[in-house]
Amino acid sequence: MMTAARVPRCPGNVRVIMWAFFPSNGHPTLRLWMTGPSPEHLPLFPTQAIGSLPRPQLVRDLLGQRQTLPQQEWRARLDDCVRFAIQLQQQAGLDIISDGEWRRTQYIHEFLSRAGGFRRCRRYQHQGQSRLGLVVVERMQTATPVFVEDAQFLVDNARAVTKATLPSPFLIAVRYWQPEYSAAAYPTCEHFLEHLAEILAREAQALETTGVQIIQLDDPALAYFCDRRLTSGQAIHDERLQRDWDIGRDLGHAIDAINCVCAGLEVETHLHCCHSVSKRHSDVQGNYQPILPRLTALQVDQLNLEFAYPDTGDVADLKHVPEHFRVGMGVVDVRKERLPSVAEIADLAQRGLVHLAPERIALNPDCGFAPDAGEPPTLDEAYTKLCRLVAAARQLRAELAA
């Protein structure tokens, strides 16, 4: 059993956290560590990773050897790689970092594979290719948290503010529940969504005990309501998205599920709402105006949105953001290979100040660089873009201080 005793935050930019562990022998042990600045002590325009970094071939090979290498050796090798991902973000100067999601083959599938109940049995078309997709066919059974060890390693090895990411319950529900395969386990998509919210709420609570400072839910499915082609019933390149997208009927369920996951958390919470990334393209398009005014009941601290890639968010959308949210502005395109200049990044962020106070704006790439381990961006490309993101934030701070 484990209980946690939080030590009050120290003055300035250092936070001390102490945990009391009660192992099976009954003797309590204490753990003490110090992290870098807490979220409330970050500078204006804090810079953050959304989540994933491109995996070099070494990491892809290791992920493929999970079942063939001795587990202790496999974990030790991957630990070394994740330390490098952490150092890369810190070297770039980011204020908020992740573990690069280098322990995951894909940002959703890693959770599904560990939760159980999913099988590849539904064939669909995506960008002109036939794929065999996962669907839920049995009730999920999760005895232990999925990502706690990953988050603990990040906290133990980082000097910056740390972020752990989870897939949103609504995203999983609408992508992986199909009546012909799933109804025996979950009679309706709403039943599936409720169970997902319960499981992910326990996961978020477990993540909080590691000392991670931000928990982010990733939900590109909310952007489906922004795509006028989908909401009008038109066919697009992803057959999985052909369904009745009724924002009045469905968005409330999504918000309730997200609120369930975040309920009671003391750490900062983010919702990342992008337009999906696949092979340097987005799955959907459309600005955020259809959803932003409807998010007033959503109980998170920050919305991380994208504005750099064409046909995603428009900076004018920011005037529709409810007042209780901060916004992570996506000002660096992760899909195109082209490297934006520092001036271009700063100019896009500057336009956000027309609608939001500087205290409400963070800066980030549009999305993770590699939600799937096989995505084409290179690590050098990502590093250069992150360095320029940090330089743009410093330029904006200097201009405001002048």
Side-chain angles (χ1 to χ4, degrees):
M1 176 180 140
M2 178 178 72
T3 61
R6 291 181 183 274
V7 177
R9 286 192 173 94
C10 297
N13 287 347
V14 176
R15 187 173 69 151
V16 178
I17 305 173
M18 184 184 298
W19 300 97
F21 288 83
F22 294 87
S24 56
N25 63 16
H27 299 295
T29 60
L30 293 179
R31 179 174 189 177
L32 179 69
W33 71 85
M34 302 175 70
T35 70
S38 57
E40 58 264 42
H41 291 117
L42 291 175
L44 287 177
F45 308 112
T47 55
Q48 61 170 347
I50 286 296
S52 62
L53 291 173
R55 278 65 141 195
Q57 191 61 49
L58 166 64
V59 175
R60 297 182 195 182
D61 289 346
L62 273 173
L63 291 173
Q65 295 171 330
R66 183 178 307 192
Q67 304 303 323
T68 57
L69 282 176
Q71 277 301 295
Q72 187 173 0
E73 179 182 352
W74 180 81
R75 184 174 293 277
R77 291 185 186 184
L78 199 51
D79 283 352
D80 288 340
C81 293
V82 173
R83 287 189 188 94
F84 175 76
I86 292 170
Q87 292 295 334
L88 180 145
Q89 295 170 83
Q90 293 179 159
Q91 176 65 27
L94 290 179
D95 300 298
I96 301 167
I97 67 170
S98 72
D99 67 353
E101 298 181 5
W102 276 13
R103 301 184 193 275
R104 309 186 194 186
T105 57
Q106 201 263 4
Y107 78 110
I108 306 174
H109 292 173
E110 195 69 28
F111 173 80
L112 305 186
S113 66
R114 300 195 208 178
F118 297 82
R119 188 166 70 235
R120 289 192 181 276
C121 53
R122 184 198 178 207
R123 191 160 294 281
Y124 67 96
Q125 295 290 318
H126 183 270
Q127 294 185 355
Q129 297 180 340
S130 178
R131 299 184 180 183
L132 193 62
L134 287 165
V135 292
V136 62
V137 296
E138 298 174 356
R139 286 189 67 82
M140 296 173 291
Q141 303 290 335
T142 55
T144 58
V146 174
F147 295 124
V148 164
E149 291 185 3
D150 302 355
Q152 189 67 69
F153 187 87
L154 170 63
V155 169
D156 290 349
N157 287 274
R159 298 189 309 273
V161 170
T162 53
K163 175 201 286 189
T165 61
L166 291 173
S168 164
F170 182 68
L171 169 66
I172 299 173
V174 298
R175 281 196 183 178
Y176 299 100
W177 186 89
Q178 293 294 324
E180 62 269 35
Y181 300 101
S182 310
Y186 298 97
T188 68
C189 189
E190 288 72 26
H191 286 92
F192 184 36
L193 179 62
E194 289 175 6
H195 195 198
L196 282 164
E198 293 171 8
I199 291 173
L200 287 163
R202 292 196 298 269
E203 184 74 25
Q205 290 159 12
L207 287 175
E208 187 174 42
T209 68
T210 67
V212 74
Q213 293 151 289
I214 297 170
I215 295 176
Q216 174 182 286
L217 294 181
D218 295 323
D219 200 337
L222 293 182
Y224 299 164
F225 297 115
C226 301
D227 194 321
R228 281 67 168 179
R229 301 169 303 170
L230 289 179
T231 55
S232 65
Q234 295 180 42
I236 65 168
H237 63 275
D238 190 340
E239 188 179 359
R240 295 173 301 173
L241 305 186
Q242 302 309 306
R243 54 168 284 172
D244 179 20
W245 292 102
D246 186 333
I247 192 170
R249 180 194 63 211
D250 296 333
L251 187 59
H253 295 308
I255 291 173
D256 288 345
I258 293 167
N259 288 346
C260 176
V261 175
C262 297
L265 296 177
E266 296 182 14
V267 296
E268 186 170 304
T269 53
H270 292 190
L271 176 68
H272 172 52
C273 180
C274 71
H275 295 63
S276 297
V277 171
S278 178
K279 308 304 179 187
R280 295 197 181 276
H281 296 283
S282 61
D283 274 343
V284 294
Q285 63 187 36
N287 62 40
Y288 292 108
Q289 290 185 26
I291 63 170
L292 286 177
R294 296 172 178 262
L295 298 182
T296 53
L298 182 64
Q299 296 171 13
V300 300
D301 298 304
Q302 182 166 304
L303 304 176
N304 294 328
L305 309 175
E306 57 181 345
F307 298 97
Y309 189 70
D311 295 322
T312 57
D314 186 294
V315 173
D317 297 346
L318 293 174
K319 64 186 177 185
H320 300 290
V321 174
E323 292 184 359
H324 63 286
F325 295 127
R326 297 191 305 277
V327 173
M329 284 189 66
V331 291
V332 173
D333 177 19
V334 300
R335 297 175 179 88
K336 295 179 182 177
E337 192 171 359
R338 175 183 173 273
L339 301 175
S341 68
V342 172
E344 288 175 303
I345 298 169
D347 179 67
L348 181 54
Q350 184 79 39
R351 288 160 54 196
L353 292 172
V354 175
H355 306 286
L356 298 179
E359 295 79 11
R360 293 179 66 193
I361 296 177
L363 300 181
N364 44 259
D366 271 348
C367 189
F369 285 94
D372 184 279
E375 289 295 321
T378 67
L379 203 53
D380 283 345
E381 175 189 330
Y383 176 69
T384 302
K385 288 180 176 180
L386 292 175
C387 288
R388 294 183 183 185
L389 173 71
V390 170
R394 290 171 178 165
Q395 177 180 317
L396 289 171
R397 291 172 201 145
E399 289 174 355
L400 278 180

